[in-house]
Amino acid sequence: MNKRAIFRVSVIGAMALAVVPAAGTAASAAPARVGIAGASNWTTQAKTAGAVPDSTPVTFGVNVSLRDSAGLQQYVQQVSTPGSSNFRKFLTPQQFADAYAPTADTQRKVSNWLSSQGLQVRYSSTDRTYIAVSGSAAQIHQAFGAPLDKYSKSGRTVTAPSGGLSVPADLGGAIQGVVGLDTSHQIQTTNRKPTATAARSAGTDDGCSNFYGQHTVSAEWDAAPAPFGARLPGANCGYTPQQLATARGITSTGLTGKGITVGIGLWCNDLMTEADTNRWASIQHWPGLKAGQYTSLQPKDGPQCTGPDGEQDLDVQAIHGAAPNANIVYGNASAPQDDALISMFHQFLDANKVDIITNSWGEVVSDVDPASSTAYENVFMQAAAQGVSILFSSGDAGDNSNGNAPKNGTLNDYPASDPLATAVGGTSLGLTNASGSAVGFEQGWTTAESDETNDKWSPWSSGRSAGGGGTSKTFAQPFYQKGRVPAALAGATPHRVYPDLANIADWYAGYRIGTHDDFDQSGNFEMQENGGTSLASPYTAGMVALALESNKGTRLGFLNPLIYAKSHAGLTDIKAGPVKYGTEQVSFEGPRAAEAFNAESLLNQTLHATDGFDNKTGWGVPGSARSFVTGLIG
């Protein structure tokens, strides 16, 4: 059992050590079997909706045990920490496999056993730690000793093993766990946009604003609700790449990300993204994508799914806006499921062509599934050893309490809350001139909304408009946070606190993108304002690419130890501030709405921007590209 001594609290428990007899035979006569991670604890309290039919096709992943997990954990800390003799001595995939991966014999033994059960091996990672598999529900029951049942959870019908999983005893040390048999995980993207009517009718005499405060709502409307006392600015059109590049100090550095490759972790593949991005660039008078600058991976674990996706357009255009000469590789997992996403990460690391991977997706959880988190952590550790930086958006719903904390408790965003991920939170950025050179304000992103009906304003409510963060319930405090994170946040028994840094996210002062994934799903191309921490993560990844370019193409690896070092990677601290800024959204139909920025005090949230490190914006934002680049290079 892997204790994750450096990074996490062991959550697999004694289950993985239990020896169980085969069902239906006497224990004395049964072949010995051992339990493995992958069963779902929540099903013990759930009512089954019936068995999954035997012939139902199922895809999943098998995590093969690392040869030297403790040694890898130690190496990740050393290779990532300034002052260590191994600092930035990154490994090739072959060196990684030779030092830490299971042996070829172990991988072959597991693959042969899977095949003997009638299961199909679809993809094996070259580091030998992961095998993507498919088969029928009946074959899975036969192989792992537990049937798959249907359950109703959160309004969806999902499937999960109805009992503990096990394998023959001679494979117990080789198979670490099974990923993907539980389909209850609601993995989703974190991009958001204002409502269609608000975006198309700003309620101003002059249309939407090109910068914050350019236009206020028409004089026919009354003052916004308290704490405001006057009409607020109308809707933004979304900032241009020129405005953001100027605001973040990118333009003055002369850096463009040349020679650096940024990967995007996501699923499916919008075949219109490259054309949409070039059309967006033309409209914005921004450099377009050169031939071969944007490519995508073909998933090896299953068929490619396709369709229009505004998230994909946002990610590509955010990276291209920050680093217009960086290469971009779209990850293109076969489905929004843990097993497919882990396969995608392995494909990235097998090829070893990307320097940074940004991920604008996650799941809201009360506790982290041990089988999935172990598989994710294995790839995160491999990425750190190979020098690949992994970024995750921190989520768009604050502490996930819907404004009712702490009564209803708080939930974590995963994988952003994993200690081996660099979590990027969100801010509200107010640029107050057309060039982007004037930053009127930047505050932690928490938006509250009040609607006017019959000349009365409703109480402020949160909706889904705040950068995610909090204190993990699963992961112990990692080495880089010890002595650097306030005890009031880490807890009496210190745990991981996230995010680590932040960037622009508020979609009411967001980014202008070009996409076919539009409001009315007509399939027409349109320019729209977009945001969320789905903007914060890829835009930050683009800025990290500038640091690699400045570092002569040398990778930076796991960023968190530098972010928590004395200079905090040159980040600009985001401090607390009054509820002073907002916007009004006036539509042709429906109520008039006021949106308040930095609205922590109007809602019941556990996330607050404060001086120094906080659980809303981490150590701050890359407000100065030059300082950020210098701080990351170290």
Side-chain angles (χ1 to χ4, degrees):
M1 181 176 64
N2 183 355
K3 295 183 179 179
R4 295 272 187 251
I6 295 175
F7 297 107
R8 62 169 292 180
V9 176
S10 175
V11 293
I12 295 176
M15 176 190 69
L17 301 180
V19 178
V20 297
T25 63
S28 59
R33 293 177 69 88
V34 295
I36 59 169
S40 308
N41 292 334
W42 63 266
T43 60
T44 61
Q45 307 297 321
K47 184 178 180 180
T48 180
V52 174
D54 284 349
S55 61
T56 303
V58 180
T59 60
F60 61 99
V62 173
N63 219 39
V64 186
S65 300
L66 291 165
R67 189 189 323 166
D68 184 7
S69 179
L72 177 56
Q73 292 169 19
Q74 184 178 24
Y75 192 77
V76 166
Q77 180 170 344
Q78 292 171 349
V79 79
S80 308
T81 303
S84 165
S85 59
N86 285 323
F87 181 52
R88 290 184 178 160
K89 291 184 178 179
F90 300 127
L91 306 179
T92 66
Q94 187 61 56
Q95 289 171 326
F96 174 84
D98 291 345
Y100 302 111
T103 65
D105 284 343
T106 298
Q107 184 197 46
R108 190 179 305 111
K109 182 178 180 180
V110 173
S111 294
N112 288 343
W113 175 76
L114 292 167
S115 297
S116 74
Q117 303 301 299
L119 300 166
Q120 179 185 359
V121 172
R122 302 182 69 100
Y123 160 68
S124 295
S125 63
T126 57
D127 70 343
R128 304 188 291 272
T129 62
Y130 191 73
I131 302 173
V133 189
S134 64
S136 69
Q139 289 167 336
I140 290 166
H141 184 184
Q142 172 185 300
F144 297 104
L148 296 179
D149 278 1
K150 293 182 286 188
Y151 299 87
S152 178
K153 187 177 184 184
S154 302
R156 299 186 305 135
T157 299
V158 301
T159 63
S162 62
L165 303 180
S166 65
V167 296
D170 65 339
L171 291 170
I175 296 179
Q176 201 167 22
V178 176
V179 180
L181 296 183
D182 180 350
T183 65
S184 68
H185 300 175
Q186 290 188 277
I187 298 171
Q188 57 191 5
T189 57
T190 54
N191 73 307
R192 292 294 181 273
K193 55 205 172 202
T195 62
T197 50
R200 294 200 170 109
S201 175
T204 72
D205 294 323
D206 303 295
C208 62
S209 297
N210 292 312
F211 55 88
Y212 182 81
Q214 182 182 16
H215 307 301
T216 56
V217 296
S218 302
E220 63 187 278
W221 302 105
D222 297 329
F228 303 108
R231 294 190 301 275
L232 291 169
N236 270 22
C237 304
Y239 298 131
T240 67
Q242 292 93 330
Q243 286 175 299
L244 277 188
T246 299
R248 290 298 189 222
I250 293 172
T251 306
S252 62
T253 68
L255 297 169
T256 63
K258 184 177 181 180
I260 309 305
T261 302
V262 182
I264 296 171
L266 204 59
W267 50 85
C268 301
N269 186 22
D270 182 352
L271 301 179
M272 296 183 288
T273 290
E274 185 172 10
D276 282 351
T277 297
N278 283 330
R279 187 171 177 182
W280 161 85
S282 177
I283 292 169
Q284 304 276 57
H285 305 290
W286 193 249
L289 292 165
K290 302 178 184 70
Q293 189 177 354
Y294 173 78
T295 57
S296 63
L297 292 179
Q298 179 69 33
K300 294 183 178 180
D301 64 322
Q304 173 179 287
C305 51
T306 61
D309 192 330
E311 176 67 61
Q312 187 171 342
D313 293 324
L314 173 62
D315 289 357
V316 171
Q317 292 163 27
I319 295 166
H320 195 61
N325 283 328
N327 295 318
I328 300 172
V329 181
Y330 182 67
N332 189 21
S334 60
Q337 296 289 339
D338 289 322
D339 55 309
L341 289 160
I342 292 164
S343 291
M344 173 204 68
F345 279 118
H346 277 290
Q347 283 190 239
F348 269 135
L349 296 175
D350 284 352
N352 202 32
K353 300 295 185 183
V354 299
D355 306 299
I356 306 153
I357 304 174
T358 175
N359 303 272
S360 295
W361 52 270
E363 177 189 13
V364 177
V365 294
S366 58
D367 198 3
V368 177
D369 167 49
S372 297
S373 66
T374 297
Y376 279 120
E377 287 196 340
N378 283 353
V379 292
F380 296 164
M381 286 194 290
Q382 182 180 351
Q386 292 180 200
V388 179
S389 305
I390 303 283
L391 279 64
F392 270 90
S393 57
S394 72
D396 290 351
D399 61 13
N400 297 294
S401 67
N402 295 318
N404 297 317
K407 179 181 177 181
N408 291 349
T410 59
L411 300 171
N412 294 137
D413 301 89
Y414 188 79
S417 58
D418 195 294
L420 287 161
T422 297
V424 187
T427 64
S428 298
L429 176 63
L431 304 183
T432 53
N433 66 3
S435 70
S437 62
V439 178
F441 62 90
E442 186 160 17
Q443 301 179 326
W445 173 39
T446 300
T447 304
E449 179 175 320
S450 177
D451 297 325
E452 186 185 42
T453 306
N454 298 324
D455 297 323
K456 291 184 179 180
W457 288 100
S458 68
W460 291 103
S461 61
S462 64
R464 184 177 169 81
S465 301
T471 303
S472 171
K473 298 175 176 63
T474 302
F475 298 103
Q477 185 176 71
F479 69 93
Y480 55 81
Q481 288 194 331
K482 291 180 179 178
R484 294 172 172 83
V485 170
L489 296 179
T493 302
H495 280 67
R496 155 74 156 150
V497 184
Y498 73 106
D500 304 298
L501 75 167
N503 215 325
I504 176 174
D506 191 334
W507 51 75
Y508 288 106
Y511 192 53
R512 191 181 305 171
I513 71 167
T515 181
H516 276 83
D517 184 40
D518 59 356
F519 293 119
D520 59 14
Q521 297 298 302
S522 65
N524 298 320
F525 177 89
E526 71 173 22
M527 299 292 288
Q528 64 173 228
E529 186 177 26
N530 211 307
T533 51
S534 278
L535 167 60
S537 183
Y539 200 83
T540 301
M543 295 187 72
V544 174
L546 306 180
L548 271 71
E549 179 190 5
S550 183
N551 202 34
K552 299 180 180 179
T554 302
R555 290 179 176 177
L556 299 176
F558 183 40
L559 302 178
N560 287 12
L562 273 171
I563 291 172
Y564 286 82
K566 186 175 181 180
S567 69
H568 306 307
L571 295 168
T572 302
D573 188 26
I574 298 296
K575 305 177 186 299
V579 185
K580 185 177 178 181
Y581 305 100
T583 184
E584 290 189 66
Q585 311 291 315
V586 182
S587 63
F588 293 117
E589 299 176 358
R592 171 183 170 215
E595 310 291 339
F597 300 160
N598 189 36
E600 298 170 21
S601 62
L602 302 180
L603 305 168
N604 191 10
Q605 278 271 313
T606 63
L607 308 185
H608 303 283
T610 61
D611 291 2
F613 180 86
D614 58 66
N615 59 5
K616 177 184 284 291
T617 62
W619 285 110
V621 300
S624 163
R626 194 174 301 279
S627 296
F628 187 54
V629 165
T630 301
L632 285 181
I633 293 174

